[in-house]
Amino acid sequence: MTSRRGPLADTGSQLVRWLMLGGLALFALALVACDGDDDGDGTATATQATASPTPTEDGEDPEGTPAGPGPEAFTTPAPGEGPRSGGEIGEPASEDVIAALDIDVVPGGAGLPDGSGTVAAGSDVYATNCARCHGATGTEGGIGPRLVGEEGPWEPGKAITIGSYWPYAETVYDYIRRAMPFDAPGSLSDDEVYAVVAWLLAEEGIIEDDVELNAETLPQVRMPNRESFFACWPEECRPDVP
Amino acid sequence: MSDEHGPEPARNESEQSEVHRGLSRRGFLASAAAAGGAYFLGRFGPASAQTPTISEDDIVVPDDPTKTLGMSLSQRGLRSPFVHVQRQINDPNAPLGAAGWTFSPLQDLEGTITPADLHFERHHSGVAMIDPAEHRLVVHGMVQQPKQYTLWDLERMPQESHIYFVECSGNSLAGYPGGDADSTAQSIHGLVSTSEWVGVPMRHIVEDVGLDPASTWALFEGSDAAVMTRSVPVEKLMEDALIALYQNGEPIRPAQGYPMRLILPGWEGNMQIKWLRRIEFGDAPFYTKEETRHYTDRLPDGRSRQFTYAMEAKSVITRPSPGQGLAGAGRWTISGIAWSGRGRIERVEVSTDGGSTWEDAALLGESRTRSTVRFHHPWEWDGEEAMLMSRATDDTGYVQPTREALLEVRGPDYTYHYNGIQSWRLHPDGTLSNGYVDA
């Protein structure tokens, strides 16, 4: 856990800090003090241990832990606690902050990173990172769903694969980069993602084996099921059942 | 749970056997040394003094609770050992255990609010555990001022409280291909839950960043291992979307998106991004995997509907339902829930003869927009086979369709948004089964 000390915790008197952040502890101590049955350490220790943390006599935190409610208590800070409290609500998000999160890739190719990947390289990427869950050739499935091996456009009765159903190659790139491999998301380089997407599309017969995918070529890929989708917003398609 | 209309539903034998009478499990071990027996354990015993948080192992059920001191104070409560409520796990990608769902125990719940620990789950890459001090919500794209907010920033913005259901759009999909004789209210319909959500209306965020009026869509992104994304129309954001921080009085639990999640009242659950970390405003949908490969509706002509958002009116009888049973002929209360993603439930009708005749059920408490309402219907069972059904009508005038009518229009490949009438077959021996499976 990272400390979320407010300005008061850094500068203010320990008394104020107790009142604001150690309310639980004080309350617990008060209870102990009123409890005629208290037989010494037993009850008090148990109570203190859970109403964390209690300042020591010299006002220092035991073990330097931040004052504040324990992880089981409500995380709502007391008034005055929390980063930048009292001032503006929120702060401007810098370009760097945005760039670090802004990973979506959309139809048309906006958001595609630099780099490239070949079908041949993708075959290796797949075997190393994907086959154990999706099957040796991607047609089998296993722990994860089947990925390839059916031609589009989709029609009733057909299996759903990248080739038979997905409308945009950009979405394949976006999804694999953000969420796969399932147990190590984000571990592939951008080039490896280009490569494995190229291999999957080549397996589906959508691109030739010698095509290299990059930010220019990937948006040119036409997925066979693309025209089968129609939007039900803002014009709704339901209610549809009389 | 005694019922004024008749005897209690038949109980599962195993329920009783797990309860510790006289001694707790932990207490049994302790008592050998303490020789104090059950009397001391609740108040003075070593277990409770050292651990003010009581666990199931501490529970003692005395023969006469008026002659034995009760259990001690505790920091967090427990359910009665006689109450067995739990979610049912479905792990299609076993043994991963992280991409799947858990069904809420509808047949064991009453009223409308779902206890937070029993709220259904649907995760694509597990439950993210997030330190709020490290978490930021970044809002950017077609806005005048891109901003980032901490949890404490959102705490300081104006908030609202609403009771809404959240329903997975795949809920009840067992109705499409034909039911399973073993299925229950929980395993068919348990992907709906209702909570009080408190949080910041999206329109305040929209104002704060200065939305470009040309923006029509926003991408919402989670901070889980799926980095889950969905596009949401700005129109919905301005109408009633919330960034929820609290659920049923406490901070949202990790499984529901702690520290913050999107709530889109009445719309399919998948869009209501948990562990929310980023909102990007744009002027077109972002065509994420969950609005192309998944959560699209396949029609008999091979085309697929996209952006089908509202969960239409539905109802289900939760008591009696399969797994429970009626102990014999006599007076019973038929109980269930109804909800609509398009508004308020106006009316629920109940049939006990397979839909030949219908009677109005009583709605308990207030019927709220995009929320569940509880209905009760007193009934005299003659002991013969019966077919129990419920049918909801919402304030748009929409009437919950029959299963036949739904399948007729949507065909066998439609997966989501099933809201056909559910029927339970009540057998003369008092057991129940899914009415869509031949007896």
Side-chain angles (χ1 to χ4, degrees):
Chain A
M1 280 291 287
T2 312
S3 156
R4 45 181 173 71
R5 273 165 204 261
L8 274 175
D10 293 334
T11 58
S13 78
Q14 288 300 325
L15 181 60
V16 171
R17 193 169 155 201
W18 281 21
L19 288 170
M20 292 192 137
L21 309 175
L24 261 178
L26 285 180
F27 180 66
L29 288 170
L31 275 186
V32 170
C34 298
D35 184 357
D37 280 351
D38 180 31
D39 59 356
D41 22 58
T43 315
T45 306
T47 313
Q48 283 173 9
T50 51
S52 71
T54 307
T56 52
E57 272 172 40
D58 61 2
E60 287 303 317
D61 284 335
E63 299 158 0
T65 48
E72 287 163 7
F74 275 34
T75 50
T76 309
E81 200 202 351
R84 291 176 317 285
S85 52
E88 274 290 298
I89 292 182
E91 63 182 352
S94 69
E95 279 177 19
D96 286 350
V97 163
I98 294 168
L101 299 179
D102 186 3
I103 57 169
D104 54 280
V105 172
V106 298
L112 278 171
D114 294 341
S116 65
T118 62
V119 176
S123 174
D124 291 343
V125 174
Y126 182 84
T128 309
N129 299 285
C130 323
R132 68 199 147 91
C133 290
H134 292 288
T137 69
T139 57
E140 302 88 349
I143 292 174
R146 171 186 186 176
L147 297 180
V148 292
E150 189 74 80
E151 270 180 27
W154 180 84
E155 54 193 49
K158 266 196 182 179
I160 293 186
T161 65
I162 291 173
S164 74
Y165 200 70
W166 293 53
Y168 302 103
E170 289 89 336
T171 307
V172 182
Y173 190 99
D174 175 280
Y175 176 67
I176 292 172
R177 185 166 65 151
R178 73 175 56 241
M180 289 294 141
F182 188 83
D183 52 359
S187 62
L188 299 187
S189 69
D190 292 343
D191 286 353
E192 287 173 314
V193 178
Y194 274 121
V196 78
V197 171
W199 182 79
L200 290 165
L201 296 178
E203 286 295 298
E204 294 288 51
I206 294 170
I207 62 171
E208 299 296 327
D209 282 351
D210 57 359
V211 171
E212 183 191 271
L213 285 187
N214 55 41
E216 247 117 72
T217 55
L218 190 143
Q220 291 164 22
V221 174
R222 289 295 290 191
M223 299 294 278
N225 201 42
R226 170 120 153 225
E227 303 308 328
S228 301
F229 290 86
F230 64 101
C232 295
W233 184 271
E235 217 57 56
E236 290 206 55
C237 306
R238 297 172 303 147
D240 55 346
V241 181
Chain B
M1 206 182 54
S2 74
D3 187 323
E4 58 176 320
H5 296 295
E8 282 201 357
R11 280 191 170 278
N12 188 335
E13 283 288 300
S14 69
E15 287 189 9
Q16 298 283 332
S17 61
E18 287 176 24
V19 174
H20 300 275
R21 290 196 176 271
L23 279 184
S24 70
R25 244 176 289 167
R26 184 183 293 179
F28 179 77
L29 297 174
S31 67
Y39 175 82
F40 295 101
L41 288 169
R43 179 64 179 84
F44 300 110
S48 60
Q50 285 165 18
T51 52
T53 298
I54 287 186
S55 87
E56 258 113 25
D57 291 348
D58 300 315
I59 291 181
V60 174
V61 181
D63 290 334
D64 181 350
T66 69
K67 299 292 180 290
T68 302
L69 192 58
M71 300 200 39
S72 71
L73 304 168
S74 63
Q75 292 182 323
R76 266 176 292 159
L78 290 177
R79 294 197 166 87
S80 160
F82 299 95
V83 172
H84 295 269
V85 283
Q86 58 186 21
R87 295 187 292 224
Q88 184 178 324
I89 298 172
N90 188 312
D91 179 13
N93 305 113
L96 297 176
W101 51 91
T102 59
F103 296 99
S104 188
L106 298 189
Q107 67 284 342
D108 300 322
L109 304 177
E110 254 298 333
T112 56
I113 299 291
T114 310
D117 63 343
L118 298 174
H119 193 288
F120 84 88
E121 296 172 284
R122 190 358 176 175
H123 313 304
H124 287 263
S125 291
V127 176
M129 282 295 162
I130 294 177
D131 176 352
E134 298 296 313
H135 187 81
R136 298 287 181 280
L137 171 61
V138 172
V139 185
H140 70 111
M142 295 174 67
V143 300
Q144 278 164 21
Q145 176 60 66
K147 288 191 80 165
Q148 56 177 333
Y149 303 94
T150 64
L151 174 60
W152 298 280
D153 287 325
L154 296 186
E155 289 280 4
R156 292 191 296 132
M157 295 181 87
Q159 299 185 30
E160 290 181 3
S161 160
H162 296 278
I163 297 175
Y164 293 128
F165 72 82
V166 177
E167 182 179 20
C168 176
S169 94
N171 194 26
S172 320
L173 66 78
Y176 280 122
D180 164 358
D182 292 333
S183 43
T184 63
Q186 177 167 14
S187 69
I188 303 175
H189 303 290
L191 301 182
V192 61
S193 298
T194 303
S195 307
E196 183 199 14
W197 301 104
V198 175
V200 179
M202 259 309 291
R203 60 176 189 281
H204 295 322
I205 308 272
V206 163
E207 280 162 24
D208 198 46
V209 294
L211 184 63
D212 180 336
S215 173
T216 46
W217 291 85
L219 182 74
F220 283 72
E221 183 175 84
S223 195
D224 59 329
V227 204
M228 176 63 60
T229 42
R230 283 296 299 261
S231 309
V232 183
V234 167
E235 193 178 327
K236 178 69 172 175
L237 300 181
M238 300 306 285
E239 186 190 347
D240 57 3
L242 273 187
I243 307 293
L245 311 177
Y246 295 91
Q247 176 186 9
N248 297 343
E250 64 178 333
I252 292 177
R253 295 191 177 207
Q256 294 308 319
Y258 181 82
M260 54 187 72
R261 77 170 297 173
L262 178 61
I263 292 290
L264 298 174
W267 284 18
E268 59 186 20
N270 177 258
M271 306 176 73
Q272 307 188 34
I273 300 295
K274 295 173 284 193
W275 314 291
L276 186 61
R277 76 166 196 184
R278 186 168 75 95
I279 304 171
E280 178 179 353
F281 285 95
D283 58 6
F286 293 73
Y287 298 97
T288 73
K289 176 226 185 196
E290 309 298 347
E291 56 209 30
T292 53
R293 161 64 182 91
H294 292 279
Y295 303 101
T296 48
D297 302 312
R298 284 178 287 282
L299 294 166
D301 65 6
R303 296 184 306 151
S304 289
R305 291 175 176 165
Q306 200 166 27
F307 314 136
T308 47
Y309 296 144
M311 299 306 295
E312 295 183 296
K314 193 191 289 191
S315 66
V316 59
I317 293 171
T318 55
R319 193 161 48 97
S321 65
Q324 304 168 326
L326 299 186
R331 286 181 67 193
W332 296 93
T333 291
I334 293 172
S335 174
I337 49 172
W339 63 100
S340 169
R342 293 197 194 275
R344 205 164 38 79
I345 292 293
E346 288 254 276
R347 179 183 194 193
V348 180
E349 297 155 282
V350 168
S351 172
T352 56
D353 56 11
S356 301
T357 60
W358 295 90
E359 283 179 60
D360 277 312
L363 302 186
L364 272 64
E366 193 185 333
S367 179
R368 300 180 174 86
T369 189
R370 293 162 183 177
S371 187
T372 42
V373 66
R374 175 65 56 175
F375 63 89
H376 276 189
H377 186 64
W379 178 50
E380 182 88 28
W381 184 37
D382 60 10
E384 302 289 310
E385 177 164 307
M387 192 72 100
L388 312 182
M389 297 173 150
S390 64
R391 176 168 78 185
T393 303
D394 70 18
D395 62 359
T396 69
Y398 175 89
V399 182
Q400 184 182 3
T402 63
R403 177 169 183 262
E404 293 69 31
L406 200 79
L407 294 185
E408 175 77 27
V409 171
R410 297 185 178 175
D413 291 296
Y414 218 92
T415 311
Y416 301 105
H417 305 111
Y418 181 94
N419 70 325
I421 291 171
Q422 175 67 54
S423 71
W424 302 129
R425 189 186 303 274
L426 172 59
H427 303 276
D429 66 0
T431 61
L432 291 104
S433 60
N434 188 350
Y436 295 127
V437 176
D438 293 333

